[in-house]
Amino acid sequence: MALFKKRTVGKPGEWYYCLEHKKVEEGPECPNKDRFGPYASRTEAEHAMATARERNLQWENDPKWHDAPAGGRDDES
């Protein structure tokens, strides 16, 4: 067991979206693995999930990154 707990680092005015608690927080309160950010404003952090959905959709439809058909192997008949 560690003697000292590592604190998350952040600057005042940086906003994050916590995936674990599904809330916006100023400065990182939760570990990196559980959050998106930093964002420049609270509003940007509030829209983090929508931004992620849009970026995922763009990535899924980008022909440069599509090596195989979704949901299957590329050698199916």
Side-chain angles (χ1 to χ4, degrees):
M1 187 165 117
L3 294 174
F4 300 99
K5 183 178 180 183
K6 271 190 173 178
R7 293 191 48 115
T8 53
V9 291
K11 300 173 189 159
E14 288 183 335
W15 294 90
Y16 296 85
Y17 182 80
C18 175
L19 301 166
E20 178 82 16
H21 301 109
K22 301 192 180 2
K23 68 175 187 139
V24 173
E25 39 188 59
E26 184 176 13
E29 294 175 18
C30 295
N32 286 342
K33 68 180 182 69
D34 294 332
R35 64 181 181 193
F36 285 156
Y39 295 96
S41 70
R42 180 178 187 87
T43 304
E44 284 183 45
E46 288 171 348
H47 294 100
M49 295 305 293
T51 302
R53 271 192 301 276
E54 290 170 12
R55 289 178 179 166
N56 285 344
L57 189 59
Q58 289 173 354
W59 177 79
E60 289 169 2
N61 292 312
D62 187 344
K64 293 183 288 187
W65 294 101
H66 252 293
D67 295 336
R73 298 183 337 221
D74 52 351
D75 63 344
E76 289 183 32
S77 306

